[in-house]
Structure formats: C-alpha cells, structure tokens
Amino acid sequence: MSTPQSLARPPIDFVSGDFDALASHMRHCALAQGRWFAVRGHLQRVRSVAAGRIVTMACVAVALSIGLFVIA
C-alpha cells in the first residue's frame, strides 16, 4: 500500500536551512562592522545605562512636582 504524493511528508533539509541562516548572519555582521561600528556600540551602551535612569528621574520629577503643588 503506497501513500499518494500529496499526503507524503516532504523531506526535511536541515543543511540548506542552516546554510541560509549562516549566510544571513554573515551578511548582517559584514554590514554591521562599518565606519561607525565603534560609535554605535558606545551609543548602545550609553542608551542601555540611561534607559533605567530616565524612568527613575521621571518618577522623581513627578513626585517633586506633586509635592510642590501640595505645598503651594
């Protein structure tokens, strides 16, 4: 008893999928390391440090403004 071709599972090709993923990654890395690579790296680091501080500073500013509004 044979299975019709429309119901048969297609063979899984892991090699070409891995090759495509590796090629995509290599293109991404090649494009990422351009003239401004170091500058973008430092800006990402500054942004990650500042992101947590921005929320804290906004909460402190809101608390101070509410406190000044209550006092006035």
Side-chain angles (χ1 to χ4, degrees), residues 2 5-6 18 29 33 38 41 45 47 50 56 58 64-65 68 71:
S2 66
Q5 288 296 328
S6 62
D18 288 344
C29 287
Q33 294 182 0
R45 187 176 302 137
R47 190 177 84 187
T56 303
L64 285 176
S65 63
L68 289 175
I71 292 173

Side-chain angles (χ1 to χ4, degrees), residues 39-54:
V39 174
R40 282 188 299 219
H42 290 300
L43 287 176
Q44 279 184 340
R45 187 176 302 137
V46 168
R47 190 177 84 187
S48 68
V49 168
R53 308 295 193 283
I54 289 172

Side-chain angles (χ1 to χ4, degrees), residues 10-36:
I12 298 174
D13 186 12
F14 291 110
V15 175
S16 68
D18 288 344
F19 181 74
D20 291 340
L22 178 62
S24 173
H25 176 75
M26 295 299 287
R27 279 192 302 272
H28 184 269
C29 287
L31 291 173
Q33 294 182 0
R35 180 182 301 173
W36 296 99

